[in-house]
Amino acid sequence: NAGVTQTPKFRVLKTGQSMTLLCAQDMNHEYMYWYRQDPGMGLRLIHYSVGEGTTAKGEVPDGYNVSRLKKQNFLLGLESAAPSQTSVYFCASSPTGEGAVAKNIQYFGAGTRLSVL
Amino acid sequence: GQNIDQPTEMTATEGAIVQINCTYQTSGFNGLFWYQQHAGEAPTFLSYNVLDGLEEKGRFSSFLSRSKGYSYLLLKELQMKDSASYLCAVRNRGSTLGRLYFGRGTQLTVWP
């Protein structure tokens, strides 16, 4: 059971470098999310997507871009990394639909630990 | 916006009972979730409340009072493996279905 898979698991960047974090889910979920988690700050939503080809900004979108070209994949890009983007990044997905609450549970990937020097 | 408050840290002894509180202020409340996160791992779903009352699931129970903007997670018969961060999250009606607003988490340490 793969669930939500994030790559890479670890990465070190220099200031100004760019990179893309990949999230893939095999549960046929419509919704996908990117969070960052910093000590004492909890999970903060960066961007999210309600379906293939659509994205929206969350609480802390500056410095990040996303794309959802395929339903199962959600990419997070850093065009010019800054030390303030050192964090642990989590991807999550959830199904849609009213009714049974269980359909809206978010399932998380294992995270990507990013350091920007 | 959302204002979700929970204690930063708690400690308890193996075999004991601990209650982790969460208060929230939000418009159009549409559900409260509890997640567990072990150090270095992903958050995992524990429980959900949308109506007032207690939801029990094994050693874990979660309570909600919508009028008070209050929830708690009750952990019974604590085990060492329960040492983790517990995240309270709120969902709003009218926002993107499924979008959650998380508190900062409560780090629970269980001592032998």
Side-chain angles (χ1 to χ4, degrees):
Chain A
N1 295 335
V4 180
T5 303
Q6 291 184 232
T7 53
K9 289 184 169 52
F10 303 92
R11 186 72 185 267
V12 178
L13 290 179
K14 294 181 180 178
T15 298
Q17 286 185 317
S18 64
M19 78 163 295
T20 300
L21 282 66
L22 173 64
C23 177
Q25 52 97 2
D26 62 1
M27 297 174 282
N28 200 35
H29 287 169
E30 287 292 335
Y31 290 176
M32 296 188 74
Y33 316 81
W34 275 107
Y35 294 90
R36 61 178 289 172
Q37 187 174 41
D38 304 291
M41 295 298 294
L43 284 164
R44 292 184 291 170
L45 185 65
I46 304 171
H47 286 279
Y48 63 98
S49 169
V50 300
E52 183 178 318
T54 70
T55 63
K57 294 180 180 180
E59 301 168 64
V60 288
D62 294 343
Y64 305 95
N65 56 76
V66 288
S67 64
R68 184 99 180 268
L69 299 180
K70 294 183 179 180
K71 184 178 182 179
Q72 63 268 33
N73 295 336
F74 194 28
L75 279 62
L76 178 71
L78 286 73
E79 290 186 349
S80 179
S84 61
Q85 294 178 304
T86 294
S87 187
V88 180
Y89 292 86
F90 286 101
C91 175
S93 71
S94 69
T96 57
E98 299 284 351
V101 145
K103 291 183 179 180
N104 301 127
I105 295 171
Q106 290 191 17
Y107 297 87
F108 285 81
T112 296
R113 284 148 186 80
L114 175 67
S115 293
V116 183
L117 306 179
Chain B
Q2 278 53 236
N3 189 13
I4 302 168
D5 194 34
Q6 50 182 130
T8 304
E9 295 178 329
M10 297 184 72
T11 60
T13 306
E14 202 173 13
I17 299 173
V18 71
Q19 178 176 310
I20 303 174
N21 296 326
C22 173
T23 59
Y24 63 88
Q25 292 177 310
T26 186
S27 55
F29 174 83
N30 190 25
L32 188 142
F33 294 75
W34 284 96
Y35 280 79
Q36 180 190 56
Q37 185 178 23
H38 285 102
E41 297 183 7
T44 55
F45 170 75
L46 277 181
S47 69
Y48 172 84
N49 297 72
V50 67
L51 300 176
D52 291 349
L54 189 68
E55 294 284 340
E56 296 186 81
K57 191 186 295 185
R59 294 188 299 112
F60 294 4
S61 303
S62 57
F63 171 83
L64 176 67
S65 169
R66 288 172 296 171
S67 62
K68 295 182 179 179
Y70 168 70
S71 172
Y72 68 72
L73 179 69
L74 191 71
L75 292 75
K76 303 176 185 177
E77 302 170 15
L78 280 173
Q79 302 175 10
M80 298 294 289
K81 67 179 182 180
D82 297 329
S83 291
S85 183
Y86 292 86
L87 312 177
C88 172
V90 171
R91 182 176 65 194
N92 285 346
R93 193 182 308 279
S95 67
T96 297
L97 193 66
R99 177 175 177 175
L100 298 179
Y101 298 85
F102 284 86
R104 299 186 176 191
T106 298
Q107 182 62 49
L108 173 66
T109 301
V110 180
W111 298 101

